[in-house]
Amino acid sequence: MSDKVLMKGAEALAEGAIQAGCRYYFGYPITPQNETPEYMSRRLPEVGGRFVQAESEVASINMVYGAACAGVRVMTSSSSPGISLMQEGISYISGSNVPCVVMNAMRGGPGLGNIAPAQADYFQAVKGGGNGDYKRIVLAPSSIQEGVDLFVDAFELADKYRMVVMVIVDGLIGQMMEPVEFKTRIDVSTLKTPEWATVGRHGRDHANIITSLTLDAAGLEQWNLKLQAKYAQVEQAESRIEEYQMDDADYAIIAYGTMARIAKTTVRVARDKGIKLGLLRPITVWPFPAKQMQAYVGKLKGTLTVELAYRQLFEDVQLTLCDKMPLGWYGRGGGVVPGPQEILAAFEEQFGKGR
Amino acid sequence: MAEQMKVIYERPTSWANKVTHYCPGCTHGVAHRLVAELVDEMGLVDKTIGVWPVGCAVLGYDYFNFDSVEAAHGRAPAMATGIKVTNPDNFVFTYQGDGDLASIGMAEIVHAAARGWPITVIFINNGNYGMTGGQMAPTTLLGQKTTTSPLGRTPQANGFPIRVAEMLAQLDGPAYIARVSLDSPVNIRKAKSAMRKAFNAQVRGIGFSLVECLSTCPTNWKLTPVESMERVRKEVMPYFPLGEFKVVEGVL
Amino acid sequence: MEHNVVIAGFGGQGVMLIGELLARAGMEEGKEVTWLPSYGPEQRGGTANCAVVVADEPIASPLLTEPQAAIVFNRQSFDKFEPVIEKGGLLVIDSTLIDRKASRADLDVVYIPATDIATELGNSKFTNMVLLGAYLGKVNPISIASVHGALSVFLTGKKAALIEVNKKALQAGVDFVNKK
């Protein structure tokens, strides 16, 4: 039949990155995403790429920084505590205007926490984590197929805007298997080395310098304004949302990633009971699909934000919908994943029977 | 007559025509010049990428005509590794101070040396954190007063200095490890010769190379340039002996 | 139409494998499938389980908090999953290894001496296939032929010789439920 293959998420996403033209991967072991570096270590040499196991996440992200300066498609992946160690590098890469992709298979925190699925790194991914005024594009797939497809977009967006693109998943997506099809294959020979890359002058009439340092305050402000203009452009053009069963919805659940997938079942169960519930699922959590959500003001009687975290996504929902409608929230932490019925119960508790 | 005149001294072409920000008597300028001369002499300007540290040499990239990147504090060896694997034919060197390399960046330098991949490290050992105002470094000598060891470094309070060249030479990865000094014309000539071997170790694909350069910091040492050179000879060299600590076959 | 099942037992009993077999067979039929394992220390603690969903429509939650069915290989898994199966759901139990009876009256429970049946067929290692057969004899999210097809993907090279006995074990499970 089709070209679908049954693959574990963490491996499928790695293959998705390779199909998207990624030829360099630097990483350090951490659960629940070890299948990604393991897969890369087998596959990258087969396609003329390089896999390097670094001595730490700190080294990983700085190796990524080096490769990114050479203008190649490069990525790393890790899980929450490891991503915390990478924040310095992510800030430098952002401040230097070079592209790369970072995947976070989020796990329970804070600290060592556990390895169960979580979404508690939302603020870190979306609002910052490293120093300075910078943004990353943050993509939040809710299925393996979508993750594979989004990896192509991740590298394209990173190159287009010269930005860090984060792909946030969790252990559940990483560990599960489902059929996946690799629809897009980027021919890396068609990817040109950017003119800004530090690859040696080789006859170029000037030296390329990549730095995040500008000692002069006025100069650094100008640099920041350039970054801000770029971020504004990204906000304008790149926000994405899935609107599920929203045509006649009275209420909407707002959730992303794994949580959104589970909430889809809640929507189905609720509709069987006669509740007109829909789902608004941000695919990009930065830029946040605010305009798309604001279009429902006046149409909805309320929303329930559901997340594997404590009021992180909810903060963006509040900023977006303010006092325009009743805003409910339900979340679980520490790696506990609520099922569809639990979410429905939370909805009914906060909004009655939805009639 | 003109065609008989011989050029015996000129500005290296890989040196950007700029005035550096280094203090009078600081040997960063000497180390920079040696890098530029070797890049010229070895015909590397088109394939060189310099990886600059956080420290006094943070603006080093401004002074050369080859491609450069600015690393995070201590991460230059990791960044250089990332650059080198994408273009193995390029010449990639890091230029790092003692705080950058031997304190915050110790993990990165040890693992880069252990991997043994051909990148070159120019390591400036001046016994303190110059840019931040002369705080104690991993290389600060016992008894040496700094702004964070105001009574002088003691083993009890501050632990011992680290001999980076000797330590890394214990690893199987490196191809060439040497310590040189930039205190006198004769030692500068020797330093250049060691750096040439280090560059060659990379160019010939043999492996990782590092040259530790005993350097001065007159401003923070509160000495004149001449006194600083004397201090290197009298106090620093006895603890940090000059020499080659590792030379694998083929390095010349 | 959606079928979902939790398969649970000790590591090494082939729990994950029959889940994957089910998922692969479903995929070969052009259905939507998900296979979600328990992972990490939980896995190393002794019990392993996976949740499999086979559906005609895109699958929403791969996480089963109230599965339609459970196939349990040991007592711990029985104790853990009996209470959460949805009302009127199916429970398939290896009665060779589990002496307890189900306490819920609203479930369709199959007590099958799967380990004994597998041992008679030559090796207790085929217990998992007997249990899968019993499940497929009760509900049929996919055809037995598709499972046969998926077996040939798993068992290749030297292991291809085991395909026939696996098919027999599967059929023994189906027959056990059907003759009842």
Side-chain angles (χ1 to χ4, degrees):
Chain A
M1 42 162 296
S2 70
D3 294 326
K4 286 188 173 174
V5 285
L6 189 64
M7 279 180 93
K8 221 174 201 195
E11 296 190 336
L13 294 170
E15 181 62 31
I18 290 171
Q19 297 300 340
C22 177
R23 287 296 178 274
Y24 298 92
Y25 176 97
F26 304 89
Y28 184 81
I30 185 169
T31 308
Q33 58 84 58
N34 292 313
E35 293 84 351
T36 300
E38 285 167 0
Y39 186 87
M40 287 296 196
S41 73
R42 293 195 298 275
R43 272 288 281 150
L44 278 173
E46 290 173 6
V47 294
R50 281 292 296 270
F51 163 88
V52 178
Q53 180 168 329
E55 56 270 28
S56 66
E57 287 89 350
V58 174
S60 302
I61 193 68
N62 284 285
M63 290 177 184
V64 167
Y65 186 11
C69 289
V72 298
R73 291 199 164 173
V74 55
M75 73 170 286
T76 184
S77 63
S78 188
S79 179
S80 309
I83 296 290
S84 294
L85 284 171
M86 292 185 185
Q87 293 305 318
E88 173 198 47
I90 290 172
S91 169
Y92 275 68
I93 294 168
S94 303
S96 300
N97 238 2
V98 293
C100 73
V101 174
V102 176
M103 179 164 77
N104 182 3
M106 294 184 284
R107 61 186 241 185
L112 200 51
N114 62 22
I115 58 173
Q119 298 181 322
D121 304 346
Y122 180 91
F123 281 157
Q124 186 191 56
V126 171
K127 310 277 177 180
N131 58 298
D133 274 309
Y134 70 95
K135 297 281 187 185
R136 315 120 306 266
I137 293 171
V138 185
L139 306 175
S142 79
S143 72
I144 298 175
Q145 182 67 57
E146 188 185 30
V148 163
D149 297 340
L150 280 180
F151 253 103
V152 176
D153 298 333
F155 281 101
E156 296 287 339
L157 289 168
D159 282 353
K160 180 177 176 187
Y161 294 105
R162 294 174 63 178
M163 280 179 78
V164 177
V165 176
M166 283 194 84
V167 179
I168 53 172
V169 295
D170 57 58
L172 196 138
I173 290 180
Q175 297 299 316
M176 69 183 282
M177 281 201 283
E178 62 184 330
V180 59
E181 191 178 353
F182 298 96
K183 298 168 196 160
T184 308
R185 291 194 155 87
I186 302 291
D187 177 1
V188 288
S189 68
T190 64
L191 299 174
K192 290 201 187 86
T193 302
E195 45 28 346
W196 49 260
T198 49
V199 287
R201 282 175 56 183
H202 298 286
R204 195 188 327 114
D205 65 2
H206 61 280
N208 280 344
I209 290 165
I210 295 175
T211 178
S212 61
L213 176 74
T214 309
L215 284 175
D216 151 55
L220 186 56
E221 184 182 44
Q222 284 309 310
W223 179 245
N224 266 283
L225 290 172
K226 266 188 198 169
L227 294 179
Q228 290 301 316
K230 174 170 81 176
Y231 299 151
Q233 199 189 337
V234 174
E235 278 192 284
Q236 197 62 35
E238 307 297 349
S239 69
R240 297 188 205 177
I241 194 170
E242 182 194 0
E243 291 148 287
Y244 176 74
Q245 305 260 24
M246 286 302 296
D247 287 347
D248 62 343
D250 289 333
Y251 296 90
I253 289 178
I254 299 175
Y256 69 95
T258 285
M259 199 64 263
R261 190 166 181 171
I262 292 167
K264 264 190 188 173
T265 298
T266 307
V267 169
R268 290 180 192 175
V269 176
R271 285 195 168 253
D272 287 346
K273 293 176 74 174
I275 304 169
K276 286 185 176 168
L277 186 60
L279 172 72
L280 292 171
R281 178 175 71 89
I283 297 168
T284 55
V285 283
W286 195 90
F288 196 71
K291 267 180 296 181
Q292 294 95 318
M293 285 188 187
Q294 283 158 354
Y296 288 97
V297 172
K299 295 179 187 164
L300 291 176
K301 296 177 187 168
T303 67
L304 180 73
T305 300
V306 185
E307 56 185 319
L308 303 176
Y310 294 99
R311 295 180 185 82
Q312 297 196 28
L313 171 66
F314 188 51
E315 192 173 290
D316 274 338
V317 173
Q318 287 176 310
L319 288 167
T320 301
L321 300 174
C322 322
D323 49 359
K324 300 284 192 293
M325 64 180 77
L327 302 177
W329 174 85
Y330 187 70
R332 297 295 300 269
V336 175
V337 182
Q341 300 289 354
E342 187 178 334
I343 298 170
L344 185 60
F347 173 81
E348 289 183 334
E349 192 188 315
Q350 297 183 39
F351 292 102
K353 296 291 176 189
R355 304 284 157 74
Chain B
M1 275 305 281
E3 62 271 20
Q4 285 172 14
M5 284 171 70
K6 207 170 136 204
V7 177
I8 55 166
Y9 189 87
E10 63 182 342
R11 180 183 300 120
T13 59
S14 61
W15 180 257
N17 192 5
K18 285 184 184 158
V19 176
T20 72
H21 66 288
Y22 299 114
C23 305
C26 165
T27 45
H28 266 307
V30 178
H32 279 27
R33 165 139 193 138
L34 295 180
V35 168
E37 284 180 6
L38 286 166
V39 166
D40 276 15
E41 290 165 23
M42 296 173 71
L44 296 173
V45 73
D46 262 353
K47 50 197 281 190
T48 294
I49 294 103
V51 185
W52 298 91
V54 172
C56 284
V58 70
L59 289 168
Y61 52 75
D62 267 347
Y63 306 134
F64 295 87
N65 286 324
F66 45 70
D67 284 3
S68 281
V69 298
E70 168 54 42
H73 198 22
R75 320 298 175 217
M79 204 175 175
T81 300
I83 293 172
K84 185 73 178 178
V85 299
T86 57
N87 289 290
D89 292 335
N90 276 342
F91 178 76
V92 183
F93 76 91
T94 74
Y95 186 105
Q96 303 175 259
D98 35 22
D100 190 85
L101 181 143
S103 190
I104 195 168
M106 189 57 109
E108 283 77 12
I109 193 64
V110 169
H111 285 274
R115 276 187 293 269
W117 296 352
I119 58 173
T120 301
V121 177
I122 304 300
F123 169 40
I124 303 299
N125 173 354
N126 64 8
N128 70 170
Y129 283 78
M131 188 179 70
T132 47
Q135 293 83 4
M136 185 183 66
T139 46
T140 296
L141 296 175
L142 291 177
Q144 185 179 336
K145 286 180 183 173
T146 69
T147 58
T148 50
S149 56
L151 303 176
R153 181 175 192 160
T154 66
Q156 294 76 16
N158 315 108
F160 291 90
I162 298 173
R163 293 185 184 92
V164 170
E166 288 88 334
M167 185 179 74
L168 295 181
Q170 302 305 308
L171 297 169
D172 291 334
Y176 183 75
I177 306 259
R179 181 181 293 115
V180 300
S181 173
L182 303 176
D183 66 294
S184 64
V186 61
N187 277 338
I188 290 169
R189 273 199 296 277
K190 285 181 186 166
K192 184 173 177 182
S193 150
M195 283 189 198
R196 188 189 302 278
K197 287 184 189 176
F199 279 36
N200 256 322
Q202 176 174 180
V203 170
R204 295 158 69 96
I206 301 170
F208 176 91
S209 54
L210 178 143
V211 178
E212 176 175 343
C213 306
L214 298 185
S215 301
T216 56
C217 188
T219 301
N220 290 308
W221 290 359
K222 309 209 181 337
L223 298 174
T224 66
V226 172
E227 288 165 349
S228 296
M229 300 299 183
E230 279 164 9
R231 178 176 180 266
V232 169
R233 288 186 284 271
K234 282 188 184 148
E235 295 177 32
V236 184
M237 280 187 205
Y239 197 90
F240 292 107
L242 306 187
E244 292 182 325
F245 298 92
K246 180 137 192 210
V247 189
V248 304
E249 210 180 314
V251 173
L252 38 101
Chain C
M1 191 63 189
E2 174 173 313
H3 288 282
N4 64 57
V5 57
V6 166
I7 307 166
F10 287 123
Q13 284 183 308
V15 168
M16 301 302 200
L17 185 82
I18 59 166
E20 199 178 332
L21 206 55
L22 198 56
R24 194 170 287 275
M27 184 182 79
E28 294 304 327
E29 284 190 9
K31 295 206 157 82
E32 301 285 341
V33 299
T34 59
W35 174 92
L36 176 69
S38 57
Y39 64 89
E42 195 188 353
Q43 217 171 23
R44 303 192 211 289
T47 61
N49 72 74
C50 61
V52 179
V53 183
V54 180
D56 298 316
E57 298 287 306
I59 295 164
S61 175
L63 182 81
L64 304 177
T65 44
E66 291 176 44
Q68 295 167 352
I71 305 172
V72 293
F73 286 57
N74 63 14
R75 176 71 188 260
Q76 287 100 311
S77 304
F78 183 21
D79 294 346
K80 182 173 177 183
F81 289 104
E82 187 196 356
V84 300
I85 297 171
E86 76 173 33
K87 225 170 179 207
L90 171 69
L91 183 56
V92 178
I93 295 168
D94 182 357
S95 59
T96 310
L97 299 182
I98 302 171
D99 49 9
R100 180 167 84 75
K101 295 285 177 198
S103 47
R104 278 176 63 179
D106 65 324
L107 299 178
D108 181 6
V109 186
V110 176
Y111 300 98
I112 174 170
T115 303
D116 289 343
I117 293 172
T119 309
E120 273 168 41
L121 286 168
N123 195 326
S124 65
K125 276 192 172 166
F126 305 124
T127 303
N128 60 345
M129 295 303 294
V130 177
L131 286 166
L132 180 61
Y135 169 72
L136 291 174
K138 275 284 180 183
V139 289
N140 40 8
I142 47 160
S143 72
I144 297 290
S146 302
V147 180
H148 289 175
L151 267 174
S152 60
V153 176
F154 275 91
L155 302 170
T156 51
K158 277 185 190 168
K159 286 184 183 166
L162 295 170
I163 291 177
E164 279 314 308
V165 63
N166 272 287
K167 283 183 183 174
K168 266 190 202 163
L170 189 70
Q171 194 56 44
V174 176
D175 292 346
F176 181 86
V177 226
N178 286 345
K179 78 172 179 241
K180 265 199 160 175

